[in-house]
Every structure is written in C-alpha cells, then in structure tokens.
Amino acid sequence: NTQAIYTVQLVARVPGYLEKVLFQDGQMVEKGQPLFVIQQNTYEDNLRQAEATVSQYRAQVEYAAAQLTRYSDLVQRNAAAKSDVDNWRNQRDVAQANLRAAEAQRDLAQLNLSYTDIRAPFNGRIDRRLVDPGNLVGAGQNTVLAEINQIDPIYVYFTISDTDLGRLLRGTPWTPGRTSSTKWPVFAGLP
C-alpha cells in the first residue's frame, strides 16, 4: 500500500464568492502555484479603509505631540496651565493607542486579503475541485475546495512472510522486541 507523506485539504479561510479555479483536476502543481481566487474587491476595500484609519490616527499623534511640546514650553514661561499639558499628553497617548489598534486592523485586513489567493503549500498532485466558481465559500463553515497530496516521496507499507523474514534475519543477531541497525534495501514498482 502506498500513502502520501503530506495530504492537505485546501479550505476557504475567508467568506466570499469563488471567482477562479486555476488548475485542471488531477494536475501536478508546484509549491506556491495559485490554485483558487476568492472575490477580492471587498478585502481590497477593507485594506484601503484600514490604511486610511492608520493615516488619520498618525496625524492625530503628530498633532497631539506638537501641542504637548507647545504647551510644555508655555508652562515653563507661566503662560499656560499644567492641566493643558496633562490634557495634551493624554490626547497624545490615546492617539498612539488608537494608531496601534488601527495598524493591527490594517495588518488583519492585509492577512484576509492574502487568504483570497489560495496557493499550493507544496509540490504534489491536486485532486478534483470540490466547489465550482460562483459558489459562496467560507461563510459559516469550513468549505473544502480541493485536496492536494505530495507524491514524491511517498510511504510504502508492506507485509513480509515469516519465511522471508527468517531468511533476512539469518546470521543477524536479533531478539524479539529489539531493533537492529541493519538496513535492507527495498524496491517497489508497478507490474
């Protein structure tokens, strides 16, 4: 019996309509080869929106930092209240926290966009597609799109008769339950 070393079910990680299937059923595929495309426009818009939010909070950080510097100088000249400095320090700190949150949302939007382009994780043979273009995938359930198997190298499982095992072990010190460091070459082929 033979078995693939690696077998992966390709699953839609984000919801959307399956737009493209970029392989033929049963085809050999290379690692990194594009296989499926899930609708990307929503995720591209989410990324642009997240980038705009990052820009907005970056501007707020810069403004609050400038105001903090300005009021800190005015307090030293007794031209402003210390509470104004505290207020601008607080606004700068809040803006910095908002910026970090916006950057995390941008990174998440980028990650979700990357999930719309499904690629082969290794060289192997891809099975038939399980979903046709136009279907909604990844919405509330794990939608398996296809399965890919690495077939070079592969595992080969076989049985050996007691007679053949005895012939192999003749002249070799061996006791049940103990392994031997002796290695015998095994060849497999198709008839």
Side-chain angles (χ1 to χ4, degrees):
N1 295 321
T2 61
Q3 183 178 2
I5 290 180
Y6 296 116
T7 297
V8 171
Q9 289 184 335
L10 301 172
V11 176
R13 295 177 75 174
V14 292
Y17 288 97
L18 185 62
E19 289 184 348
K20 296 178 186 173
V21 175
L22 304 171
F23 65 90
Q24 296 295 320
D25 293 350
Q27 171 183 342
M28 294 297 295
V29 295
E30 300 288 322
K31 180 178 181 176
Q33 178 179 337
L35 302 174
F36 295 97
V37 176
I38 297 173
Q39 127 191 40
Q40 296 180 328
N41 57 356
T42 303
Y43 297 99
E44 291 167 343
D45 291 343
N46 287 344
L47 179 58
R48 280 194 295 276
Q49 185 177 28
E51 288 171 342
T53 303
V54 167
S55 297
Q56 174 187 353
Y57 285 125
R58 189 170 285 133
Q60 287 180 1
V61 167
E62 291 170 6
Y63 179 72
Q67 290 296 87
L68 176 61
T69 302
R70 181 176 299 121
Y71 277 89
S72 295
D73 291 344
L74 291 174
V75 163
Q76 290 177 358
R77 291 186 241 147
N78 293 324
K82 174 118 172 62
S83 63
D84 290 334
V85 171
D86 293 340
N87 178 46
W88 284 109
R89 181 176 292 116
N90 178 55
Q91 290 204 25
R92 181 205 58 195
D93 293 347
V94 168
Q96 287 174 338
N98 288 337
L99 176 60
R100 285 192 299 275
E103 288 171 341
Q105 287 298 318
R106 178 202 56 206
D107 294 345
L108 183 60
Q110 179 66 47
L111 184 63
N112 284 336
L113 178 59
S114 74
Y115 289 154
T116 63
D117 179 26
I118 300 169
R119 296 175 175 268
F122 48 77
N123 295 346
R125 182 177 305 278
I126 192 157
D127 200 4
R128 66 181 179 87
R129 70 178 181 273
L130 300 174
V131 180
D132 293 322
N135 284 299
L136 181 64
V137 297
Q141 75 275 0
N142 286 337
T143 306
V144 178
L145 303 172
E147 189 174 274
I148 185 171
N149 297 292
Q150 181 183 20
I151 60 171
D152 184 18
I154 59 172
Y155 289 122
V156 176
Y157 297 96
F158 59 93
T159 57
I160 186 169
S161 69
D162 292 343
T163 306
D164 290 336
L165 181 61
R167 203 167 13 106
L168 283 172
L169 296 177
R170 192 174 313 137
T172 303
W174 179 80
T175 56
R178 299 194 64 187
T179 60
S180 171
S181 62
T182 306
K183 295 184 180 186
W184 294 285
V186 175
F187 300 95
L190 296 174

